Amino acid sequence: MVKRFYVDQYVDRILAGDRVVLSRAITLVESTLPADQDLAQEVINRLIPHTGNSVRVGITGSPGVGKSTFIESFGNYLIQEQSKKVAVLAIDPTSQRSGGSILGDKTRMATLATNPAAYIRPSPAGKSLGGVARNTREALLLCEAAGFNVIIIETVGVGQSETAVHSMVDFFLLLLLAGAGDALQGIKKGIMEMADGLAITKADGDNHQKAEQARAEYKHALHLFPPAPSGWLPPVALCSALENTGLAVIWQMVQEYLTLTQKSGFFTRKRQEQNLHWLHQAIRYALEDRFFSHKLIREKLPDLEKAVAESKTSPFKAATDLLKLF
Amino acid sequence: MVKRFYVDQYVDRILAGDRVVLSRAITLVESTLPADQDLAQEVINRLIPHTGNSVRVGITGSPGVGKSTFIESFGNYLIQEQSKKVAVLAIDPTSQRSGGSILGDKTRMATLATNPAAYIRPSPAGKSLGGVARNTREALLLCEAAGFNVIIIETVGVGQSETAVHSMVDFFLLLLLAGAGDALQGIKKGIMEMADGLAITKADGDNHQKAEQARAEYKHALHLFPPAPSGWLPPVALCSALENTGLAVIWQMVQEYLTLTQKSGFFTRKRQEQNLHWLHQAIRYALEDRFFSHKLIREKLPDLEKAVAESKTSPFKAATDLLKLF
C-alpha cells in the first residue's frame, strides 16, 4: 500500500511539473537497489501515456567546439523566443557522480540553470554505457511527463555514446569548428553519417570567412554521401555564441526536419523502431549480465579470451564451451 | 573413434589443399544438425593454428556497379600477376540455397571459377544474418587452412551485412559508379566511413572523364571526414573491366595499407579485436536464441512488442516482465 501511494505521489507531482519530485524520480531510476528499480519502473510505466510530446535533440561535437556554450545559448533562445520548456541531459559514461560534477554541469550553463523554464540534469554515473544510456532514456521520459517540450541530450563522444544518443533522439546535431583537420579532432568515424544537421560554431569575427568556406565544403561533401532513409539532406549552419547568431536558423532546421518526417510517417516509424530497439537492448543487457556474472564464466573467460584473441582457439568453439558451463 | 578419424581426415586433406574436402567441411559448417556442428567445430579448432595467413578483402557496392565482374578480373589478376591463390565467399542473407544460386555464383564468374588457383563458394543460405555471417567466417578460416592467401568476401549490402563483413576482413573496398546521385543508389549510410578504399568502376571510354571528376570529389570529401584510427586515408582508384585497368593500382593500395598497419601494430590489434568480437557475438546469439525460442517468451513477445512500439508500455518494464518468464 505504501508503495502504491508513493507511485501515485511521483506520478501526480511529476505531471504537475514539480521539479524536485522529478529530480527524485531520476535519482530512483539511477539507483541500483532492486526495490528502487521496481518503483522507478512502475512510475515510468504509469507516466508513459504522458510522454513523447517533446522534440528530442541530440548534440555532439569535439572537445573545444563549444558544446556547453551552444547548449546554453540555444536553450535560452528556445525559452525566450519560442516559449519552450527545455531539459538538458547528458550521456557521459566517464563521469563519476560527485559534488564537483553536479556543480560542473550547472555552472558551465549558469544562465540556463537559473532559468525557471529550464531543467539541467547532470550526467548519471555508471559502470557501463548500457546503464548510463538507459538511465538517460528514462530521465528523458520523466522530463517529458513533467512538461518539458524540448529535450537536449548531450554526448561527450566517448565509446559508443553517440550511437546510444542517436537511438533516443529525433534530430542529431553535430557541432564542428572551422579549420580543416582540427575540425575533426575527437570525432569518430560514423558520427558524421548519423547527423541530421551540422553547425559550425565560433563563426564570428576573423573566423567568419573560414566558417563560410567550411560550410560550403561540408555541404558539397554531404551530397556525395549516401542519402538518409528519411530523404533528408543534412543542412550545414553557422553559429556564434559571441555574436549570438545562428540559433534561429538551427531551430528552423529542426522544424523543417520535423515537418518533412512527420508528413512522410518517418518520424513515427523511427520512434517506434527506437522503442523496440530499447526493448531488445534491455533484454540483451539482462541476458549478458546474467551470463557474465556467472561464477564459472567469470573464472574461465579471461583465459579463453586470450586464447581467442591470439587465434589459439576458435571464437565459436570458445563460445560453445562457455555456454556449456552456464 | 569414428568421429576422431573423420576429424583427422578433414584436417589432413584440407591442409593438403584438397578442395573437395574443403567444400565438404564448409557444408558441415553450414549444417544445422548438432552432430555436424560439433564435428565442424572440432575440425576448425584443429585448423586454427594454420589460419590467418591470408589477406582478407571485403567488397561491397550498389547493384549494377559491377561487383561480380570486378571480383572476376581482380581474382584473375591476383592469380596471374601476383601468383596468389584466391577464394571468393559471399554474405547474402537473402539467398536461398538452390541449384540455381550455386550455378549462379559460378557462372557469373566463369573464367575465375575454372581457374585451378581459385575457389568460389556460393553464399550460405540461412534464416538470420548472424548465422550466415558466422558460416562465412568459418568458411574463411577453412579456406586459409587450405592454402588460399587472398580471401575475397563479397556482400550484397542487405541489412547489416556490411557490418558483418567489416568485422571479418583486413581491408574493405567500396565500389562506386561515377555520376552523382546514381552513384550512391543502394549504398547505406555508414558504409562510406567503413571503407579502407574506394574504386570507381566502369572508368572507360566516354565515362573516363566523369570518373576522374568523381574521384577528385570523393578524395576531397574523404578529407573532410574523421580520420580512421589506423591513420590511413582511404584512397580513391579508377578501374575498368572493359579496358582491364586499375587492378594493379587497387592491389597496390591494399599492399600499402597492410604495410602501414602491420608496421604500426594496428593490423594485429584489429585481428585480435575481430576475434573477440566473434566470441562475444557467438555468446550473444546463443543467449538470444535460447531466450527467443522459449515457449512463454514466444507467446508473450508479439503483444508486448506492439505495446512498446506504440508507447503503451515502457521498453524496460516489458523487458523485465519477459525476463521473469524466462
Side-chain angles (χ1 to χ4, degrees):
Chain A
M1 296 305 284
V2 171
K3 188 178 163 195
R4 178 176 288 263
F5 176 71
Y6 278 128
V7 171
D8 282 345
Q9 270 195 322
Y10 281 113
V11 169
D12 292 348
R13 295 213 187 154
I14 287 170
L15 288 177
D18 182 331
R19 63 180 62 210
V20 175
V21 178
L22 171 62
S23 290
R24 278 178 52 194
I26 297 178
T27 304
L28 209 60
V29 160
E30 294 169 0
S31 162
T32 50
L33 296 176
D36 286 348
Q37 276 297 317
D38 288 349
L39 185 54
Q41 293 209 359
E42 226 179 303
V43 171
I44 288 170
N45 216 42
R46 282 276 301 282
L47 289 170
I48 277 281
H50 306 280
T51 63
N53 300 315
S54 81
V55 182
R56 303 165 178 174
V57 180
I59 294 183
T60 194
S62 319
V65 76
K67 273 202 298 291
S68 304
T69 311
F70 175 80
I71 291 171
E72 178 161 40
S73 322
F74 194 50
N76 283 322
Y77 164 82
L78 291 173
I79 292 166
Q80 283 151 26
E81 310 289 325
Q82 303 290 338
S83 309
K84 298 290 181 187
K85 290 184 71 185
V86 177
V88 180
L89 307 170
I91 291 193
D92 179 358
T94 62
S95 88
Q96 294 297 322
R97 169 63 54 83
S98 72
S101 95
I102 293 178
L103 281 176
D105 274 12
K106 296 208 171 169
T107 48
R108 69 195 173 96
M109 299 181 194
T111 68
L112 190 62
T114 53
N115 197 316
Y119 178 78
I120 298 180
R121 177 75 182 188
S123 324
K127 283 180 303 179
S128 70
L129 171 63
V132 170
R134 173 189 169 146
N135 292 345
T136 306
R137 188 167 194 274
E138 300 208 315
L140 177 154
L141 296 175
L142 291 169
C143 289
E144 287 183 342
F148 292 94
N149 46 19
V150 178
I151 319 276
I152 294 174
I153 301 180
E154 179 188 359
T155 164
V156 294
V158 173
Q160 299 293 311
S161 57
E162 280 100 345
T163 313
V165 171
H166 189 251
S167 69
M168 64 178 86
V169 299
D170 304 315
F171 189 95
F172 198 38
L173 179 68
L174 172 61
L175 301 182
L176 291 167
L177 278 172
D182 296 347
L184 297 166
Q185 285 303 322
I187 296 179
K188 290 195 303 294
K189 265 187 170 295
I191 306 307
M192 190 78 77
E193 295 198 51
M194 276 184 198
D196 301 302
L198 272 55
I200 296 168
T201 57
K202 306 185 187 178
D204 42 42
D206 292 350
N207 226 4
H208 197 272
Q209 206 187 330
K210 218 165 69 178
E212 275 289 8
Q213 194 190 326
R215 170 161 64 172
E217 291 186 342
Y218 278 112
K219 272 184 81 143
H220 185 71
L222 288 166
H223 251 295
L224 292 172
F225 282 66
S230 57
W232 172 258
L233 183 70
V236 187
L238 298 184
C239 63
S240 158
L242 206 67
E243 298 177 356
N244 210 22
T245 52
L247 301 171
V249 172
I250 292 168
W251 183 239
Q252 181 64 27
M253 180 196 290
V254 176
Q255 292 301 305
E256 280 168 16
Y257 176 83
L258 292 176
T259 304
L260 175 84
T261 57
Q262 279 167 346
K263 207 171 152 191
S264 71
F266 180 86
F267 180 87
T268 305
R269 216 158 52 238
K270 183 173 167 185
R271 282 221 173 159
Q272 289 182 346
E273 280 166 13
Q274 287 177 333
N275 285 344
L276 287 176
H277 168 83
W278 284 94
L279 170 63
H280 286 269
Q281 280 284 91
I283 291 171
R284 173 178 297 172
Y285 281 126
L287 290 174
E288 291 185 355
D289 255 13
R290 285 187 195 181
F291 183 80
F292 289 110
S293 59
H294 188 281
K295 192 172 168 292
L296 284 173
I297 307 295
R298 281 219 316 272
E299 282 169 19
K300 290 275 179 194
L301 190 65
D303 287 348
L304 274 173
E305 280 190 333
K306 193 163 177 290
V308 165
E310 293 170 355
S311 286
K312 284 178 184 148
T313 189
S314 134
F316 301 109
K317 174 88 167 69
T320 307
D321 290 349
L322 285 172
L323 284 154
K324 278 178 189 154
L325 298 174
F326 183 54
Chain B
M1 295 302 284
V2 170
K3 187 178 163 193
R4 178 178 288 261
F5 176 71
Y6 277 128
V7 170
D8 283 344
Q9 270 195 321
Y10 281 112
V11 169
D12 294 346
R13 295 212 186 155
I14 287 170
L15 288 177
D18 182 331
R19 65 180 60 213
V20 174
V21 178
L22 171 64
S23 290
R24 278 177 51 194
I26 297 178
T27 304
L28 208 61
V29 160
E30 293 169 0
S31 163
T32 50
L33 296 177
D36 287 347
Q37 276 298 316
D38 288 350
L39 186 54
Q41 292 209 1
E42 228 178 303
V43 171
I44 289 169
N45 215 44
R46 283 276 301 282
L47 289 170
I48 277 282
H50 307 278
T51 62
N53 300 315
S54 81
V55 182
R56 303 165 178 173
V57 180
I59 295 183
T60 195
S62 318
V65 76
K67 273 201 298 291
S68 304
T69 311
F70 175 80
I71 292 172
E72 177 162 41
S73 323
F74 194 50
N76 282 322
Y77 164 82
L78 291 172
I79 291 166
Q80 284 150 25
E81 309 289 326
Q82 302 290 338
S83 309
K84 298 290 182 189
K85 290 184 72 186
V86 177
V88 180
L89 307 171
I91 291 193
D92 178 359
T94 60
S95 88
Q96 294 297 320
R97 171 63 54 85
S98 72
S101 93
I102 292 179
L103 282 177
D105 273 12
K106 296 208 172 171
T107 49
R108 68 196 175 93
M109 300 180 195
T111 69
L112 189 62
T114 54
N115 195 317
Y119 177 79
I120 299 179
R121 177 76 184 189
S123 325
K127 284 180 303 181
S128 71
L129 172 63
V132 171
R134 174 191 169 144
N135 292 346
T136 306
R137 188 167 194 273
E138 300 208 316
L140 178 154
L141 296 175
L142 292 170
C143 289
E144 287 182 341
F148 291 95
N149 46 18
V150 178
I151 318 278
I152 293 174
I153 301 179
E154 178 188 0
T155 164
V156 295
V158 173
Q160 298 294 308
S161 56
E162 281 100 345
T163 313
V165 171
H166 188 250
S167 69
M168 63 177 88
V169 299
D170 304 315
F171 190 94
F172 199 40
L173 179 68
L174 173 62
L175 301 182
L176 291 167
L177 278 172
D182 296 346
L184 298 165
Q185 285 303 321
I187 296 180
K188 292 196 301 294
K189 264 187 171 296
I191 306 307
M192 191 76 78
E193 294 199 51
M194 276 185 199
D196 300 302
L198 272 55
I200 296 167
T201 58
K202 306 186 186 177
D204 41 43
D206 292 350
N207 226 3
H208 197 273
Q209 206 188 329
K210 219 165 69 177
E212 276 289 8
Q213 195 191 327
R215 170 163 63 173
E217 290 186 344
Y218 279 112
K219 273 184 81 143
H220 185 72
L222 287 165
H223 250 296
L224 291 172
F225 282 65
S230 57
W232 173 257
L233 183 71
V236 187
L238 299 185
C239 63
S240 158
L242 206 66
E243 300 177 358
N244 209 24
T245 53
L247 301 171
V249 171
I250 292 168
W251 182 239
Q252 181 63 27
M253 181 197 287
V254 175
Q255 292 302 303
E256 280 168 16
Y257 176 83
L258 293 176
T259 305
L260 174 85
T261 57
Q262 279 167 347
K263 207 171 150 190
S264 70
F266 180 85
F267 180 86
T268 306
R269 217 159 50 239
K270 183 173 167 184
R271 282 221 174 159
Q272 289 183 346
E273 280 165 14
Q274 287 178 334
N275 285 344
L276 287 175
H277 168 82
W278 285 95
L279 170 64
H280 287 270
Q281 281 283 94
I283 291 170
R284 172 178 298 172
Y285 280 126
L287 291 173
E288 291 184 356
D289 255 13
R290 285 187 196 181
F291 183 82
F292 289 110
S293 59
H294 188 281
K295 190 172 171 294
L296 284 174
I297 306 296
R298 282 218 316 272
E299 282 170 19
K300 290 275 178 193
L301 190 65
D303 286 349
L304 273 174
E305 280 188 335
K306 191 161 179 291
V308 165
E310 291 170 356
S311 287
K312 286 180 181 147
T313 189
S314 137
F316 301 108
K317 175 89 167 69
T320 308
D321 290 350
L322 284 172
L323 284 154
K324 278 177 188 153
L325 297 176
F326 183 51

